Amino acid sequence: MRPGIDLAGKRVLVVGLARTGIATALFCAGRGAQVTASEERPESELAEAAAKLRAAGCRLELAGHREDSFLGQDLIVSSPGVPVEMPLLAAARGRGIPVWSEMELAWRFLRGRLVAITGSNGKTTTTALVGHILETAKIPVVVAGNIGVPLISRVEATSDSSITVVEASSFQMETIAAFRPDVAVLLNLTPDHLDRHTSLEAYGRAKARIFENQTEQDAAILNADDPAAATYAPSRPQLFWFSRARRVANGAFLRGDDLVFRRDGGETVLLRRNDIGLRGEHNVENVLAAAAAALLAG
């Protein structure tokens, strides 16, 4: 059961008005929140979005952020591009005001099951592959997130029988609170976004938050061939691996030309390597991860 939130009458500040921020502000306003949207860019760069937001009842603060707006809210939702250590966000947290990512807020309204995929490389391909597999299996599926469509703008498309597949970035994972995927995937870790995360360790910790709230009922999938990613294997969820190099105890692996899924000692051949229509060894890994995620999602 997801922790709900009633937005009606709540003072909500949305920080950053790129695609995700606009979608978040409209979502909150549509549910009766008193929305303020704060953005450093001037209105001349946001004319169309500004008109749409004002029409929805949002109050806009453009060309700079205001301290009093950050400290007088019930909830702040920051866009992925807004640094988590921004002083005004830190001040709000110091006042006990929750600061969430759009993904955290959207998750609380989602219906059905959730597969979340993160990693330095291959996120978009793997997310699209899982969506394609589930769709081909005639399972109602919604694909969203960092792949191009904010998760919050797809909430209404979900149902109790649907599976949502979301691409999650490290920026989005930094400000989760209770976000809990039924199936979470960490594809790999290579140095990236170190201008924001300061170190590979900090970047890895942000990515690994995707497992943070999972329980024994959930599944975590990691790359057995990537030592950096493997160090973040969680202890609570059921653990699965994918590998091109060796058999894994539970998960998907390559044996000769067969892609095999193994669980509790039983094995199923999923497809042949020649069946993969994508070139490159990295795409064999993406297919292994996607196949494991789709199987565990149902």
Side-chain angles (χ1 to χ4, degrees):
M1 192 73 177
R2 295 186 179 97
I5 177 172
D6 184 2
L7 292 173
K10 292 284 195 307
R11 295 165 298 173
V12 178
L13 176 68
V14 176
V15 185
L17 286 178
R19 178 168 44 198
T20 297
I22 293 167
T24 301
L26 292 172
F27 180 91
C28 293
R31 281 152 185 78
Q34 301 173 34
V35 178
T36 301
S38 182
E39 167 62 54
E40 289 184 333
R41 290 176 295 164
E43 183 152 356
S44 59
E45 296 182 26
L46 296 159
E48 184 178 341
K52 185 183 295 186
L53 290 167
R54 285 198 178 98
C58 300
R59 177 172 168 263
L60 303 188
E61 294 181 357
L62 306 177
H65 304 300
R66 302 178 192 174
E67 183 177 9
D68 57 339
S69 294
F70 278 71
L71 301 181
Q73 305 296 329
D74 298 309
L75 171 66
I76 296 176
V77 184
S78 59
S79 295
V82 178
V84 70
E85 69 275 6
M86 178 185 184
L88 289 173
L89 291 179
R93 284 192 292 267
R95 291 276 186 96
I97 300 168
V99 178
W100 292 349
S101 66
E102 161 265 342
M103 199 159 279
E104 172 72 29
L105 179 62
W107 171 77
R108 291 168 182 251
F109 289 87
L110 280 182
R111 298 169 66 191
R113 306 186 76 213
L114 175 67
V115 177
I117 298 163
T118 196
S120 300
N121 304 295
K123 294 188 299 295
T124 301
T125 299
T126 305
T127 301
L129 282 167
V130 176
H132 174 71
I133 294 167
L134 295 173
E135 184 178 28
T136 302
K138 308 300 182 188
I139 294 173
V141 63
V142 173
V143 178
N146 210 45
I147 197 168
V149 181
L151 179 60
I152 205 154
S153 66
R154 298 289 284 146
V155 164
E156 296 301 335
T158 65
S159 68
D160 292 341
S161 61
S162 68
I163 297 174
T164 300
V165 187
V166 65
E167 178 185 336
S169 72
S170 57
F171 297 165
Q172 291 164 317
M173 290 295 98
E174 281 183 306
T175 43
I176 62 166
F179 179 81
R180 177 191 158 195
D182 299 276
V183 179
V185 183
L186 176 56
L187 294 170
N188 45 57
L189 274 178
T190 57
D192 198 7
H193 302 302
L194 298 191
D195 55 331
R196 174 151 158 179
H197 293 296
T198 71
S199 70
L200 181 61
E201 290 74 22
Y203 174 57
R205 287 195 301 270
K207 289 282 192 190
R209 293 198 70 191
I210 199 168
F211 306 125
E212 187 173 294
N213 299 304
Q214 287 192 299
T215 71
E216 295 83 357
Q217 298 173 320
D218 305 317
I221 303 170
L222 294 96
N223 188 344
D225 303 335
D226 188 313
T231 62
Y232 292 100
S235 58
R236 276 183 296 181
Q238 301 168 54
L239 193 55
F240 296 86
W241 302 90
F242 64 93
S243 173
R244 286 192 295 115
R246 59 187 179 275
R247 189 184 79 168
V248 296
N250 286 293
F253 62 97
L254 189 65
R255 178 195 287 142
D257 287 328
D258 290 335
L259 276 69
V260 181
F261 186 80
R262 178 179 173 84
R263 184 173 193 176
D264 299 330
E267 295 184 355
T268 304
V269 176
L270 303 176
L271 70 160
R272 300 277 291 172
R273 187 177 186 145
N274 290 342
D275 296 330
I276 299 174
L278 302 170
R279 292 184 178 181
E281 292 301 303
H282 62 289
N283 277 318
V284 176
E285 291 189 356
N286 293 337
V287 169
L288 286 165
L295 273 168
L296 292 167

